[in-house]
Amino acid sequence: MIRIGLLGCGRIAKRRSHLLRGGHIAEAKRVAVCAEVRDWADAMAARFDVATHYRIDDLLARKDTDAVSVLTSSAMLS
C-alpha cells in the first residue's frame, strides 16, 4: 500500500487526482490533501474523506504518508 498526500487542490488536482482511484495505480490510497486556499483544501478533503492541511510542512510531517503527488499549477514554479 502506497499512502499518498496530494499537494494542490485546484484545477490541476481535480483533473489528475482521478488516477488514484479505480485501480489506475495499484495499491495507492489517498491519506491527505494540502492547499493554501482553505476552501479548496476543505472541499477536496471532504470529497476523498481524508485529512486537510493548509501548509506543506504539515503535510510532509505526516508519518502515514509515503509519497506526495504535486498537483500545482506550473505557474507556481517561477
Side-chain angles (χ1 to χ4, degrees):
M1 174 69 64
I2 299 171
R3 300 164 300 181
I4 300 175
L6 304 179
L7 176 60
C9 295
R11 185 180 61 208
I12 300 295
K14 289 176 187 172
R15 293 178 63 191
R16 299 294 181 227
S17 63
H18 72 282
L19 296 173
L20 299 177
R21 61 176 195 249
H24 296 285
I25 299 175
E27 301 296 321
K29 176 184 177 183
R30 288 176 293 253
V31 295
V33 298
C34 178
E36 289 182 343
V37 179
R38 290 178 179 256
D39 290 344
W40 295 359
D42 293 340
M44 188 162 284
R47 175 179 172 192
F48 296 136
D49 191 28
V50 297
T52 309
H53 298 286
Y54 309 111
R55 295 182 47 229
I56 189 172
D57 293 339
D58 296 333
L59 176 64
L60 296 177
R62 294 179 63 95
K63 300 294 183 202
D64 67 342
T65 303
D66 300 312
V68 173
S69 180
V70 179
L71 300 169
T72 58
S73 167
S74 59
M76 302 292 290
L77 300 175
S78 59

